[in-house]
Amino acid sequence: MLSVNDLCVHFPVSRGLNPFAKRKSVKAVDGVSFHVAREETIALVGESGSGKTTTGRVIARLTDLTRGSVEFEGADIMKLGGAGLKGYRKRVQMIFQDPYESLNPRASIVDQVGLPLVVFGIAKNRHQKEDIVSSLLDKVGLVHSEVLFKYPHQLSGGERQRVSIARAIATNPELVVADEPVSMLDVSVRAGVLNLMQDLARSYHLSYLFISHDLAVAKYMGIRLAVMYLGKIFELGLTADIMSKPLHPYTKMLLEATPKIGPKSVGGLRARGEIPSSIDIPPGCRFHPRCPYATDVCKSKIPPLRDLAETHSVACHWAEKFA
Amino acid sequence: MSAPPIVNVSGLRVSFWARRGEVKAVDDVSLQVKKGEIMGLAGESGCGKSTTGLAIMRLIKPPGEIKDGRIVFDGNIDVLSLGDEELRSFRWRKVSMVFQGAMNSLNPVMTVGSQIAEAISAHESAREEDMEERVAKLLEQVGMDASRAKDYPHEFSGGMRQRAVIAMALALNPELLIADEPTTALDVVVQRQILDLMIDMQRRLNLSMIFITHDLVALSEFSDKVSIMYAGRIAEVAPTSDLYGSPLHPYTQGLLESLQGIATPGKKLWSIPGAPPDLAAIPKGCRFRPRCRYAFDRCAAEEPELLPVKDGRSVACHLVNK
């Protein structure tokens, strides 16, 4: 349904006062390709600065791309305009990380969730809008009679995120880009929102692009997983395969670093270094300064994302050694 | 006779005065931390865990107020009755704190080295010549190059800034370190490095530590004992392996169930219904009752006390303390 081909998003950096300084750019996304099938959830994981949010924003047509293309059912989304773009926005919706900021503080819940209904002509009048919003609120596990005329500040974080979800599904979309939808929520509330998102995926036949820094959450939600680092996908495959047998050293380090319940076992791959700036990306494999297995090839040659199995691709020169 | 606990808090109550009335952030909390022990203080946002930490440091400022309770440090210092001068020598030398988001609170126009030096000279008179060497030693202790003392905070990465903040907290060899969400704003890999560093320091210096966090998973790896807080009270205290192996309070059970469930994709997650109560209008009886799947009549009428169960475990639940 959606295919992303060699996507690059570069943001120019100010030269400051020096007119002779070289024009630099932040390479937020630097050659990313993947596809999303109908009714599939793919999770995009990575640390801050890995480009996962920017990728999601391009797909939601909120950020322009520098190079590459994004095709939705074969049509280039960057070429859409006017009615075409409006139709696309109806089919592709986004849920943001912070439910405190993504809702308008001065609009009541019925108006927030009802806005897309009005924009897309789904609700013809106020009465109809209230009816549809009520049923949407019930679907996301809220009691509509309690929240319909409330304002965001009167709701808890979990309730607010449910309102954002109701707003996203109001147009009956086919793809929802969910950018860290539970990272601001407490554990006891998080589980409920994840359950809800899975239920909605089934009843609305949704696809999710689920963006997360939390491997545990990504593992729970995603059938497929893409691990990103500094604007590139390092490993792409079925979540279960990657979790049980990571092939990229970075994925290994990430899995090793993620806390697990129980006393910590000693050994394993040590966490080394920090993600560098996406202005000065290391040459060759961009992970080589932190990689314990790096060789001379890694310092000069960029490893392409190669298929190691039908459903498992890795961007590492030495991936076979870890298989 | 065993040694007295490094800190013994009993019946602590802290309230904040807001427009909508008294917000009881900490409502009758008692806890002990033994020497050389890491106690995890866990709970969700607004449960009072940070406020408890701040109260031990005597850092509650108006509109907040310590209303009641006793905090005894090392068996002989009555923290709540210390005067201003005594507080100066208590803070940082006896107890120090790594604050949440502290890495972003470094002064941007001072070098990191001079900020650490400032922390030292605020609490004792040290000679200028010795200072440089002390700062260098502290930085090396937290895995940084001593030459970086001359750099400014913006020249450091997030993880390095957090290391500098830890160096600062350890500058005066405190006996107790209160760490308030020290790794929350960091990425997983860096978080792992900082956790490893803190545990290493704790063992090497035989520090006692209160580790405040919402991350129950991380806590399970290194804490000796865990206290679970809910809406201003302690719901359960237990040695770490007992707590994770057989949680007794329905709230702890719910939290752990949703954490463990996440490991099995496809399975529906258990989630605790509802949200924590408004601390300005705490329900009568057990404050967890509206969300509890086992609640019965006694829970609505009577607030359960935190009572010992067995081998170092205490629970505040009528179901357990029948």
PDB file of all heavy atoms in Angstrom, chain B residues 177-205:
ATOM      1  N   LEU B 177      22.893   8.912  48.596  1.00  0.00           N
ATOM      2  CA  LEU B 177      22.640   9.612  47.334  1.00  0.00           C
ATOM      3  C   LEU B 177      21.183   9.372  46.950  1.00  0.00           C
ATOM      4  O   LEU B 177      20.728   8.227  46.895  1.00  0.00           O
ATOM      5  CB  LEU B 177      23.570   9.089  46.237  1.00  0.00           C
ATOM      6  CG  LEU B 177      23.363   9.694  44.845  1.00  0.00           C
ATOM      7  CD1 LEU B 177      23.788  11.162  44.829  1.00  0.00           C
ATOM      8  CD2 LEU B 177      24.162   8.932  43.786  1.00  0.00           C
ATOM      9  N   ILE B 178      20.470  10.472  46.722  1.00  0.00           N
ATOM     10  CA  ILE B 178      19.097  10.342  46.250  1.00  0.00           C
ATOM     11  C   ILE B 178      19.113  10.628  44.753  1.00  0.00           C
ATOM     12  O   ILE B 178      19.486  11.721  44.333  1.00  0.00           O
ATOM     13  CB  ILE B 178      18.157  11.329  46.974  1.00  0.00           C
ATOM     14  CG1 ILE B 178      18.218  11.083  48.484  1.00  0.00           C
ATOM     15  CG2 ILE B 178      16.730  11.178  46.469  1.00  0.00           C
ATOM     16  CD1 ILE B 178      17.426  12.087  49.306  1.00  0.00           C
ATOM     17  N   ALA B 179      18.774   9.639  43.954  1.00  0.00           N
ATOM     18  CA  ALA B 179      18.808   9.815  42.499  1.00  0.00           C
ATOM     19  C   ALA B 179      17.374   9.850  42.000  1.00  0.00           C
ATOM     20  O   ALA B 179      16.646   8.881  42.119  1.00  0.00           O
ATOM     21  CB  ALA B 179      19.564   8.663  41.855  1.00  0.00           C
ATOM     22  N   ASP B 180      16.969  11.017  41.487  1.00  0.00           N
ATOM     23  CA  ASP B 180      15.593  11.189  41.051  1.00  0.00           C
ATOM     24  C   ASP B 180      15.519  11.052  39.535  1.00  0.00           C
ATOM     25  O   ASP B 180      15.886  11.977  38.811  1.00  0.00           O
ATOM     26  CB  ASP B 180      15.087  12.559  41.506  1.00  0.00           C
ATOM     27  CG  ASP B 180      13.590  12.737  41.241  1.00  0.00           C
ATOM     28  OD1 ASP B 180      12.959  11.784  40.736  1.00  0.00           O
ATOM     29  OD2 ASP B 180      13.069  13.820  41.538  1.00  0.00           O
ATOM     30  N   GLU B 181      15.066   9.933  39.039  1.00  0.00           N
ATOM     31  CA  GLU B 181      14.953   9.670  37.602  1.00  0.00           C
ATOM     32  C   GLU B 181      16.226  10.067  36.850  1.00  0.00           C
ATOM     33  O   GLU B 181      16.162  10.846  35.896  1.00  0.00           O
ATOM     34  CB  GLU B 181      13.756  10.437  37.002  1.00  0.00           C
ATOM     35  CG  GLU B 181      12.426  10.183  37.676  1.00  0.00           C
ATOM     36  CD  GLU B 181      11.602   9.102  36.999  1.00  0.00           C
ATOM     37  OE1 GLU B 181      12.140   8.375  36.137  1.00  0.00           O
ATOM     38  OE2 GLU B 181      10.420   8.970  37.348  1.00  0.00           O
ATOM     39  N   PRO B 182      17.387   9.556  37.252  1.00  0.00           N
ATOM     40  CA  PRO B 182      18.633  10.043  36.656  1.00  0.00           C
ATOM     41  C   PRO B 182      18.810   9.654  35.198  1.00  0.00           C
ATOM     42  O   PRO B 182      19.662  10.203  34.516  1.00  0.00           O
ATOM     43  CB  PRO B 182      19.716   9.391  37.517  1.00  0.00           C
ATOM     44  CG  PRO B 182      19.071   8.176  38.061  1.00  0.00           C
ATOM     45  CD  PRO B 182      17.620   8.516  38.260  1.00  0.00           C
ATOM     46  N   THR B 183      18.029   8.715  34.695  1.00  0.00           N
ATOM     47  CA  THR B 183      18.259   8.268  33.317  1.00  0.00           C
ATOM     48  C   THR B 183      17.045   8.470  32.422  1.00  0.00           C
ATOM     49  O   THR B 183      17.043   8.038  31.278  1.00  0.00           O
ATOM     50  CB  THR B 183      18.623   6.772  33.285  1.00  0.00           C
ATOM     51  OG1 THR B 183      17.555   6.029  33.855  1.00  0.00           O
ATOM     52  CG2 THR B 183      19.876   6.488  34.062  1.00  0.00           C
ATOM     53  N   THR B 184      16.023   9.147  32.948  1.00  0.00           N
ATOM     54  CA  THR B 184      14.767   9.206  32.219  1.00  0.00           C
ATOM     55  C   THR B 184      14.861   9.869  30.849  1.00  0.00           C
ATOM     56  O   THR B 184      14.267   9.411  29.894  1.00  0.00           O
ATOM     57  CB  THR B 184      13.704   9.921  33.064  1.00  0.00           C
ATOM     58  OG1 THR B 184      13.621   9.213  34.296  1.00  0.00           O
ATOM     59  CG2 THR B 184      12.356   9.913  32.401  1.00  0.00           C
ATOM     60  N   ALA B 185      15.636  10.962  30.752  1.00  0.00           N
ATOM     61  CA  ALA B 185      15.651  11.697  29.490  1.00  0.00           C
ATOM     62  C   ALA B 185      16.678  11.136  28.509  1.00  0.00           C
ATOM     63  O   ALA B 185      16.909  11.707  27.459  1.00  0.00           O
ATOM     64  CB  ALA B 185      15.935  13.167  29.766  1.00  0.00           C
ATOM     65  N   LEU B 186      17.310  10.012  28.848  1.00  0.00           N
ATOM     66  CA  LEU B 186      18.400   9.506  28.010  1.00  0.00           C
ATOM     67  C   LEU B 186      17.943   8.351  27.131  1.00  0.00           C
ATOM     68  O   LEU B 186      17.013   7.628  27.451  1.00  0.00           O
ATOM     69  CB  LEU B 186      19.551   9.033  28.901  1.00  0.00           C
ATOM     70  CG  LEU B 186      20.134  10.081  29.858  1.00  0.00           C
ATOM     71  CD1 LEU B 186      21.082   9.429  30.846  1.00  0.00           C
ATOM     72  CD2 LEU B 186      20.846  11.168  29.082  1.00  0.00           C
ATOM     73  N   ASP B 187      18.645   8.167  26.017  1.00  0.00           N
ATOM     74  CA  ASP B 187      18.367   7.034  25.142  1.00  0.00           C
ATOM     75  C   ASP B 187      18.833   5.728  25.794  1.00  0.00           C
ATOM     76  O   ASP B 187      19.717   5.737  26.649  1.00  0.00           O
ATOM     77  CB  ASP B 187      19.089   7.229  23.812  1.00  0.00           C
ATOM     78  CG  ASP B 187      18.292   8.116  22.889  1.00  0.00           C
ATOM     79  OD1 ASP B 187      17.076   7.902  22.790  1.00  0.00           O
ATOM     80  OD2 ASP B 187      18.874   9.023  22.287  1.00  0.00           O
ATOM     81  N   VAL B 188      18.260   4.638  25.314  1.00  0.00           N
ATOM     82  CA  VAL B 188      18.506   3.329  25.943  1.00  0.00           C
ATOM     83  C   VAL B 188      19.986   3.006  26.159  1.00  0.00           C
ATOM     84  O   VAL B 188      20.378   2.577  27.230  1.00  0.00           O
ATOM     85  CB  VAL B 188      17.945   2.160  25.106  1.00  0.00           C
ATOM     86  CG1 VAL B 188      17.505   1.041  26.005  1.00  0.00           C
ATOM     87  CG2 VAL B 188      16.836   2.600  24.203  1.00  0.00           C
ATOM     88  N   VAL B 189      20.783   3.200  25.126  1.00  0.00           N
ATOM     89  CA  VAL B 189      22.185   2.795  25.224  1.00  0.00           C
ATOM     90  C   VAL B 189      22.924   3.654  26.246  1.00  0.00           C
ATOM     91  O   VAL B 189      23.696   3.164  27.065  1.00  0.00           O
ATOM     92  CB  VAL B 189      22.867   2.859  23.837  1.00  0.00           C
ATOM     93  CG1 VAL B 189      24.325   2.462  23.945  1.00  0.00           C
ATOM     94  CG2 VAL B 189      22.150   1.943  22.851  1.00  0.00           C
ATOM     95  N   VAL B 190      22.647   4.956  26.229  1.00  0.00           N
ATOM     96  CA  VAL B 190      23.281   5.867  27.178  1.00  0.00           C
ATOM     97  C   VAL B 190      22.743   5.604  28.582  1.00  0.00           C
ATOM     98  O   VAL B 190      23.477   5.623  29.573  1.00  0.00           O
ATOM     99  CB  VAL B 190      23.023   7.332  26.765  1.00  0.00           C
ATOM    100  CG1 VAL B 190      23.733   8.272  27.704  1.00  0.00           C
ATOM    101  CG2 VAL B 190      23.471   7.555  25.337  1.00  0.00           C
ATOM    102  N   GLN B 191      21.453   5.328  28.654  1.00  0.00           N
ATOM    103  CA  GLN B 191      20.824   5.003  29.929  1.00  0.00           C
ATOM    104  C   GLN B 191      21.532   3.813  30.571  1.00  0.00           C
ATOM    105  O   GLN B 191      21.828   3.802  31.763  1.00  0.00           O
ATOM    106  CB  GLN B 191      19.356   4.662  29.681  1.00  0.00           C
ATOM    107  CG  GLN B 191      18.620   4.229  30.917  1.00  0.00           C
ATOM    108  CD  GLN B 191      17.171   3.846  30.608  1.00  0.00           C
ATOM    109  OE1 GLN B 191      16.575   4.323  29.655  1.00  0.00           O
ATOM    110  NE2 GLN B 191      16.608   2.984  31.401  1.00  0.00           N
ATOM    111  N   ARG B 192      21.845   2.824  29.769  1.00  0.00           N
ATOM    112  CA  ARG B 192      22.549   1.643  30.270  1.00  0.00           C
ATOM    113  C   ARG B 192      23.911   2.035  30.827  1.00  0.00           C
ATOM    114  O   ARG B 192      24.313   1.594  31.891  1.00  0.00           O
ATOM    115  CB  ARG B 192      22.679   0.619  29.129  1.00  0.00           C
ATOM    116  CG  ARG B 192      23.626  -0.517  29.367  1.00  0.00           C
ATOM    117  CD  ARG B 192      23.261  -1.369  30.568  1.00  0.00           C
ATOM    118  NE  ARG B 192      21.935  -1.954  30.440  1.00  0.00           N
ATOM    119  CZ  ARG B 192      21.174  -2.323  31.461  1.00  0.00           C
ATOM    120  NH1 ARG B 192      21.596  -2.162  32.702  1.00  0.00           N
ATOM    121  NH2 ARG B 192      19.985  -2.826  31.263  1.00  0.00           N
ATOM    122  N   GLN B 193      24.621   2.922  30.108  1.00  0.00           N
ATOM    123  CA  GLN B 193      25.949   3.334  30.566  1.00  0.00           C
ATOM    124  C   GLN B 193      25.858   4.057  31.910  1.00  0.00           C
ATOM    125  O   GLN B 193      26.651   3.803  32.816  1.00  0.00           O
ATOM    126  CB  GLN B 193      26.607   4.265  29.541  1.00  0.00           C
ATOM    127  CG  GLN B 193      26.882   3.578  28.207  1.00  0.00           C
ATOM    128  CD  GLN B 193      27.216   4.582  27.100  1.00  0.00           C
ATOM    129  OE1 GLN B 193      27.421   5.762  27.352  1.00  0.00           O
ATOM    130  NE2 GLN B 193      27.260   4.107  25.875  1.00  0.00           N
ATOM    131  N   ILE B 194      24.866   4.948  32.050  1.00  0.00           N
ATOM    132  CA  ILE B 194      24.735   5.718  33.285  1.00  0.00           C
ATOM    133  C   ILE B 194      24.316   4.801  34.439  1.00  0.00           C
ATOM    134  O   ILE B 194      24.832   4.908  35.558  1.00  0.00           O
ATOM    135  CB  ILE B 194      23.727   6.880  33.114  1.00  0.00           C
ATOM    136  CG1 ILE B 194      24.204   7.846  32.013  1.00  0.00           C
ATOM    137  CG2 ILE B 194      23.500   7.620  34.418  1.00  0.00           C
ATOM    138  CD1 ILE B 194      25.471   8.598  32.340  1.00  0.00           C
ATOM    139  N   LEU B 195      23.408   3.875  34.170  1.00  0.00           N
ATOM    140  CA  LEU B 195      23.003   2.935  35.218  1.00  0.00           C
ATOM    141  C   LEU B 195      24.203   2.121  35.687  1.00  0.00           C
ATOM    142  O   LEU B 195      24.449   1.999  36.892  1.00  0.00           O
ATOM    143  CB  LEU B 195      21.930   1.971  34.690  1.00  0.00           C
ATOM    144  CG  LEU B 195      20.499   2.479  34.644  1.00  0.00           C
ATOM    145  CD1 LEU B 195      19.574   1.410  34.084  1.00  0.00           C
ATOM    146  CD2 LEU B 195      20.032   2.899  36.031  1.00  0.00           C
ATOM    147  N   ASP B 196      24.966   1.583  34.735  1.00  0.00           N
ATOM    148  CA  ASP B 196      26.149   0.802  35.091  1.00  0.00           C
ATOM    149  C   ASP B 196      27.115   1.629  35.936  1.00  0.00           C
ATOM    150  O   ASP B 196      27.652   1.149  36.928  1.00  0.00           O
ATOM    151  CB  ASP B 196      26.865   0.295  33.830  1.00  0.00           C
ATOM    152  CG  ASP B 196      26.083  -0.829  33.149  1.00  0.00           C
ATOM    153  OD1 ASP B 196      25.100  -1.313  33.763  1.00  0.00           O
ATOM    154  OD2 ASP B 196      26.434  -1.210  32.015  1.00  0.00           O
ATOM    155  N   LEU B 197      27.295   2.891  35.520  1.00  0.00           N
ATOM    156  CA  LEU B 197      28.199   3.770  36.256  1.00  0.00           C
ATOM    157  C   LEU B 197      27.724   3.971  37.694  1.00  0.00           C
ATOM    158  O   LEU B 197      28.495   3.858  38.649  1.00  0.00           O
ATOM    159  CB  LEU B 197      28.304   5.128  35.556  1.00  0.00           C
ATOM    160  CG  LEU B 197      29.006   6.223  36.355  1.00  0.00           C
ATOM    161  CD1 LEU B 197      30.494   5.981  36.417  1.00  0.00           C
ATOM    162  CD2 LEU B 197      28.717   7.598  35.783  1.00  0.00           C
ATOM    163  N   MET B 198      26.421   4.247  37.850  1.00  0.00           N
ATOM    164  CA  MET B 198      25.902   4.539  39.191  1.00  0.00           C
ATOM    165  C   MET B 198      26.017   3.330  40.109  1.00  0.00           C
ATOM    166  O   MET B 198      26.353   3.458  41.285  1.00  0.00           O
ATOM    167  CB  MET B 198      24.452   5.007  39.104  1.00  0.00           C
ATOM    168  CG  MET B 198      24.342   6.345  38.399  1.00  0.00           C
ATOM    169  SD  MET B 198      22.731   7.109  38.594  1.00  0.00           S
ATOM    170  CE  MET B 198      22.808   7.634  40.296  1.00  0.00           C
ATOM    171  N   ILE B 199      25.740   2.156  39.565  1.00  0.00           N
ATOM    172  CA  ILE B 199      25.815   0.949  40.376  1.00  0.00           C
ATOM    173  C   ILE B 199      27.270   0.675  40.754  1.00  0.00           C
ATOM    174  O   ILE B 199      27.583   0.318  41.894  1.00  0.00           O
ATOM    175  CB  ILE B 199      25.223  -0.266  39.611  1.00  0.00           C
ATOM    176  CG1 ILE B 199      23.804   0.043  39.170  1.00  0.00           C
ATOM    177  CG2 ILE B 199      25.268  -1.526  40.452  1.00  0.00           C
ATOM    178  CD1 ILE B 199      22.936   0.689  40.207  1.00  0.00           C
ATOM    179  N   ASP B 200      28.163   0.910  39.801  1.00  0.00           N
ATOM    180  CA  ASP B 200      29.579   0.721  40.051  1.00  0.00           C
ATOM    181  C   ASP B 200      30.058   1.655  41.168  1.00  0.00           C
ATOM    182  O   ASP B 200      30.756   1.253  42.098  1.00  0.00           O
ATOM    183  CB  ASP B 200      30.332   0.985  38.738  1.00  0.00           C
ATOM    184  CG  ASP B 200      31.820   0.774  38.907  1.00  0.00           C
ATOM    185  OD1 ASP B 200      32.186  -0.276  39.454  1.00  0.00           O
ATOM    186  OD2 ASP B 200      32.592   1.657  38.502  1.00  0.00           O
ATOM    187  N   MET B 201      29.661   2.932  41.090  1.00  0.00           N
ATOM    188  CA  MET B 201      30.045   3.916  42.108  1.00  0.00           C
ATOM    189  C   MET B 201      29.474   3.523  43.469  1.00  0.00           C
ATOM    190  O   MET B 201      30.134   3.637  44.491  1.00  0.00           O
ATOM    191  CB  MET B 201      29.485   5.295  41.756  1.00  0.00           C
ATOM    192  CG  MET B 201      29.938   5.864  40.441  1.00  0.00           C
ATOM    193  SD  MET B 201      31.669   6.248  40.439  1.00  0.00           S
ATOM    194  CE  MET B 201      31.680   7.655  41.477  1.00  0.00           C
ATOM    195  N   GLN B 202      28.214   3.085  43.451  1.00  0.00           N
ATOM    196  CA  GLN B 202      27.550   2.719  44.697  1.00  0.00           C
ATOM    197  C   GLN B 202      28.333   1.610  45.396  1.00  0.00           C
ATOM    198  O   GLN B 202      28.569   1.662  46.595  1.00  0.00           O
ATOM    199  CB  GLN B 202      26.116   2.269  44.388  1.00  0.00           C
ATOM    200  CG  GLN B 202      25.259   1.996  45.594  1.00  0.00           C
ATOM    201  CD  GLN B 202      25.270   0.531  46.011  1.00  0.00           C
ATOM    202  OE1 GLN B 202      25.579  -0.350  45.206  1.00  0.00           O
ATOM    203  NE2 GLN B 202      24.969   0.266  47.265  1.00  0.00           N
ATOM    204  N   ARG B 203      28.768   0.607  44.629  1.00  0.00           N
ATOM    205  CA  ARG B 203      29.508  -0.508  45.223  1.00  0.00           C
ATOM    206  C   ARG B 203      30.880  -0.056  45.683  1.00  0.00           C
ATOM    207  O   ARG B 203      31.320  -0.396  46.776  1.00  0.00           O
ATOM    208  CB  ARG B 203      29.655  -1.627  44.194  1.00  0.00           C
ATOM    209  CG  ARG B 203      28.295  -2.175  43.853  1.00  0.00           C
ATOM    210  CD  ARG B 203      28.270  -3.639  43.480  1.00  0.00           C
ATOM    211  NE  ARG B 203      26.858  -3.988  43.323  1.00  0.00           N
ATOM    212  CZ  ARG B 203      26.306  -4.358  42.170  1.00  0.00           C
ATOM    213  NH1 ARG B 203      27.053  -4.515  41.083  1.00  0.00           N
ATOM    214  NH2 ARG B 203      25.022  -4.614  42.105  1.00  0.00           N
ATOM    215  N   ARG B 204      31.558   0.742  44.838  1.00  0.00           N
ATOM    216  CA  ARG B 204      32.919   1.138  45.170  1.00  0.00           C
ATOM    217  C   ARG B 204      32.972   2.026  46.394  1.00  0.00           C
ATOM    218  O   ARG B 204      33.869   1.929  47.224  1.00  0.00           O
ATOM    219  CB  ARG B 204      33.547   1.858  43.972  1.00  0.00           C
ATOM    220  CG  ARG B 204      34.740   1.066  43.458  1.00  0.00           C
ATOM    221  CD  ARG B 204      35.527   1.798  42.412  1.00  0.00           C
ATOM    222  NE  ARG B 204      34.724   2.318  41.333  1.00  0.00           N
ATOM    223  CZ  ARG B 204      35.064   3.410  40.650  1.00  0.00           C
ATOM    224  NH1 ARG B 204      36.147   4.070  40.966  1.00  0.00           N
ATOM    225  NH2 ARG B 204      34.313   3.831  39.658  1.00  0.00           N
ATOM    226  N   LEU B 205      32.014   2.947  46.516  1.00  0.00           N
ATOM    227  CA  LEU B 205      32.036   3.902  47.616  1.00  0.00           C
ATOM    228  C   LEU B 205      31.172   3.441  48.789  1.00  0.00           C
ATOM    229  O   LEU B 205      31.025   4.149  49.762  1.00  0.00           O
ATOM    230  CB  LEU B 205      31.554   5.267  47.127  1.00  0.00           C
ATOM    231  CG  LEU B 205      32.272   5.841  45.907  1.00  0.00           C
ATOM    232  CD1 LEU B 205      31.592   7.109  45.431  1.00  0.00           C
ATOM    233  CD2 LEU B 205      33.735   6.118  46.240  1.00  0.00           C
TER     234      LEU B 205
END
